Amino acid sequence: MSTPDHPRPTATDEELRAALTSANIPTLLLVLAHLTGDDRWLADPYRPSRTIALHDNDTGGLAEQRQAEIRDAALAALGEVRDGQRAVPGPPPDDRIVEALSISLGEQVPPEYAAAMAEDGGFRKPAWLTTPPVGGDGPRVLVIGAGISGVCIGIALQHLGLPFSVIERNDAVGGTWLENDYPGAGVDTPSHLYSFSFAPRPQWSRYYPKQPEILDYVQGVARDAGLLPSIRFGTDVVSAEWDEASSTWQVCTRARDGGEGTEQRHVVDVVISAVGLFNQPEVPELPGLDTFGGSAFHTARWDHSVDLAGKRVGVIGTGATAMQVVPAIADDAGEVVVLQRSPQWVAPNANYLREVSDHTRLLMEQVPGYRTWYRLRLAWMMQDKLHPTLRKDPDWPHPQRSLNAANDKHRRFFTDYLDAQIEGAEQLRDAMLPDYPPYGKRILMDNDWFATIRRDDVELVASGVAAIEENAVLSADGERHEVDVLVLATGFSTRRMLFPMDIRGRSGVPLREQWGDDDAQAYLGMTVPDFPNLLLLYGPNTNLGHGGSAIFHAECQANYIVGLLRRMAARDIAALEVRPEVCDDYNARVDAAHEQMIWTHPGMTTYYRNAAGRVVTTTPWRLIDYWAMTRTPDLDDYLVTPAPQAQRRAG
Ligand code: NAP
């Protein structure tokens, strides 16, 4: 039997032998043990060394001869599978997954990950895509946004068989991956992890894909699922108002049809926001910005008509976006001036700029289980493994520079890396060495950053920006830097969630008023008191600060929302509103957990925190905690309004 995720090889022995020379040995051992059922591949002398940090540990630390034995055995087993002499076993039991993975990684993956990994790896389809449809009598749903979250929930609604439509302001699917098409745009999560559990892509061309390929993936998933006819493109949601009498949302949309826009009213039972976090570009209020005479644009609104050749380009900001833009434009531009307000911790990553070889792609495409096991290794290494190291140790004697012994070790490692990168240009050290603990701001992957900053035609100005003039940036140290083009890599208005939509709930109070300008709160990041039947994807406190795939969270949320919708349909429920005390209690727990985490380190300023210092965007939880919290909705958490027919029946 071959599961849909585990196709049979079709390659010849020669092709397979060649491809296996590129195999990641710890992954291949998992494949071999699973295919043959022989546990000797998970024991000495084949037991791989511990996988450390961001490295794949391709050799498993094994001598060449052992690696050759493993490849030979894999070739034999794969040939048998191809020739129909060996069946591909069904998925392993959940506990076996973590047991085998632990051996492959050289460290214990806690058993609590077993079920989540079975689903995330694609050994088993997620529950929300396998339970029977509800059918068309359930609630009518309107989804706002067709980015990754919107595509995910759209597919869930399609499976449920509920009447739904998606309203998307752009003219195509993709959300942030459509809008952020600046030079060098890409993702910091490995490609084989940054994909839906139910839609693997064995053909990724890079270990960290660039924007066009990610966009192609998201659009392909939407297209293949037949979602496009349900999406109304080029349309903004202007407002949504809860009508208590009918227990419906009255949603006003405006189509951007060239003129003033055609407004339309929609009456639906449930509204799901999937507008994303990085939705509204943050344009800083810099004195004189409007007097700049050259081209000035935000990275999320890149002006591709501007030819940078020979131009002096000022880039404001040194976050994840600038880290990608600056190396990507340095060759074209005449000069680049990088205006840094705060330095960032930068991590080396051998895979970051690496392309996936044809050999590896063949393994991903044809070797049963290879891409699944490879993904699960990443799922541990790149996600929750780091979380404990980001907790404050109250007894740690150096809280200024680090949080605990492990974080201090990371600090030393990244500092050594910085020193090695700027050797011979030590004058950069003061400017580039952060004074806060690593991971306090989002850690950045070295994208030739140091090499680019060291170029003669690139200048780092580390004093922040004081003002903009017609053809120059004035830095806070009083220096004047002439520029022809100004690029604002200044991030997003992440704390003004759901802006600028006007959303009013049961009491008529706008959500904007309830949350204030920067203090969004929701139960599980998804539901808000006084706003019945409003569900949020990528809402408050659901962004991943410690690393991990946002797509995993989107699937957790889809699972929870599907659970709620099923209950509404099955029990004739007209409205579900989270109880205020449940939401308050949850947020008190979020805040208390954050007090223990790095993101509340004194003095840290990030887009995670609001003016009062509360962490608003980022989750304090491990992915596995959130997965567990979003498995099964508990209707006791909600005020339930029965549908009129249910009320009549009860009466
Ligand atoms: P960001 O992390 O918010 O960084 C904004 C940068 O602009 C910071 O360096 C900030 O300095 C600076 N800045 C803001 N206002 C300024 C002002 N008035 N004067 C001078 N400097 C100012 O934004 P981002 O780089 O666009 O990244 C946002 C998020 O998008 C990331 O955290 C990530 O989640 C996602 N992203 C991911 C990738 C990837 O995966 N590779 C790439 C791009 C974006 P301070 O640090 O001092 O505030």
Side-chain angles (χ1 to χ4, degrees), residues 182 186-188 278 284 317-321 324 341-342 441-442 489 491 607:
Y182 57 81
V187 69
D188 276 359
F278 306 113
T318 49
T321 300
Q324 296 184 326
R341 188 165 65 180
S342 335
K441 288 179 191 272
R442 192 174 190 278
Y607 69 78

Side-chain angles (χ1 to χ4, degrees), residues 26-370:
T27 302
L28 196 59
L29 286 165
L30 290 163
V31 169
L32 201 47
H34 182 53
L35 268 186
T36 62
D38 187 343
D39 275 359
R40 88 191 150 99
W41 299 114
L42 297 177
D44 291 334
Y46 301 110
R47 187 184 281 266
S49 61
R50 184 161 177 230
T51 301
I52 293 170
L54 301 174
H55 297 284
D56 273 355
N57 192 18
D58 277 340
T59 65
L62 297 174
E64 184 49 52
Q65 189 214 325
R66 291 281 175 237
Q67 294 180 48
E69 287 167 26
I70 295 162
R71 290 192 192 98
D72 287 349
L75 179 63
L78 290 170
E80 288 168 14
V81 172
R82 179 197 56 210
D83 300 339
Q85 293 154 1
R86 179 187 286 279
V88 177
D94 294 357
D95 52 355
R96 165 74 179 176
I97 294 173
V98 284
E99 196 185 295
L101 203 55
S102 301
I103 294 167
S104 162
L105 287 163
E107 68 183 50
Q108 182 63 49
V109 178
E112 64 183 314
Y113 285 82
M117 284 197 160
E119 283 192 2
D120 190 48
F123 278 125
R124 183 168 72 221
K125 272 203 167 177
W128 54 275
L129 278 180
T130 45
T131 37
V134 164
D137 289 340
R140 297 158 296 174
V141 184
L142 183 141
V143 177
I144 312 171
I148 282 184
S149 294
V151 168
C152 185
I153 199 68
I155 289 173
L157 293 167
Q158 215 175 33
H159 174 75
L160 277 178
L162 293 179
F164 76 98
S165 58
V166 182
I167 307 292
E168 166 56 51
R169 75 170 176 213
N170 290 314
D171 294 328
V173 163
T176 198
W177 292 115
L178 182 71
E179 295 182 2
N180 284 275
D181 64 350
Y182 57 81
V187 69
D188 276 359
T189 307
S191 45
H192 299 98
L193 191 58
Y194 196 72
S195 45
F196 293 110
S197 66
F198 56 88
R201 177 183 174 98
Q203 305 84 3
W204 288 113
S205 71
R206 301 172 64 105
Y207 288 89
Y208 288 84
K210 293 296 176 190
Q211 174 264 348
E213 192 171 7
I214 306 167
L215 182 62
D216 179 66
Y217 169 73
V218 182
Q219 294 187 335
V221 171
R223 190 185 54 239
D224 295 349
L227 210 54
L228 300 188
S230 306
I231 306 175
R232 192 164 306 177
F233 291 104
T235 304
D236 288 305
V237 170
V238 180
S239 62
E241 213 168 321
W242 177 253
D243 179 63
E244 182 65 15
S246 60
S247 289
T248 56
W249 281 101
Q250 318 277 314
V251 181
C252 174
T253 60
R254 187 182 297 136
R256 283 184 291 101
D257 44 15
E260 285 294 288
T262 310
E263 291 205 347
Q264 196 180 351
R265 295 200 82 76
H266 312 252
V267 179
V268 294
D269 304 300
V270 173
V271 170
I272 301 178
S273 165
V275 298
L277 187 64
F278 306 113
N279 176 295
Q280 299 292 325
E282 175 85 16
V283 175
E285 289 178 12
L286 296 168
L289 183 57
D290 55 348
T291 66
F292 185 68
S295 298
F297 45 84
H298 189 277
T299 46
R301 302 286 181 268
W302 193 271
D303 186 344
H304 291 277
S305 71
V306 176
D307 183 3
L308 298 183
K311 300 258 170 54
R312 289 164 304 181
V313 183
V315 178
I316 300 184
T318 49
T321 300
M323 165 71 67
Q324 296 184 326
V325 166
V326 175
I329 63 171
D331 278 344
D332 276 354
E335 286 168 40
V336 182
V337 181
V338 179
L339 294 131
Q340 170 187 287
R341 188 165 65 180
S342 335
Q344 314 271 345
W345 287 106
V346 178
N349 183 335
N351 274 351
Y352 195 61
L353 299 171
R354 211 173 133 202
E355 294 186 353
V356 179
S357 68
D358 289 346
H359 286 160
T360 299
R361 255 198 306 280
L362 187 148
L363 301 175
M364 296 281 178
E365 280 174 349
Q366 297 196 17
V367 172
Y370 189 88

Side-chain angles (χ1 to χ4, degrees), residues 4-5 10 35 63 71 106 110 138 173 219 230 241 265 267 336 375 402 436 456 459 464 472 538 602 608 616-617 643:
D5 191 34
T10 53
L35 268 186
R71 290 192 192 98
V173 163
Q219 294 187 335
S230 306
E241 213 168 321
R265 295 200 82 76
V267 179
V336 182
R375 175 181 170 106
S402 51
Y436 55 86
D456 290 341
E459 183 188 1
Y538 216 157
Y608 304 165
V616 179
T617 62

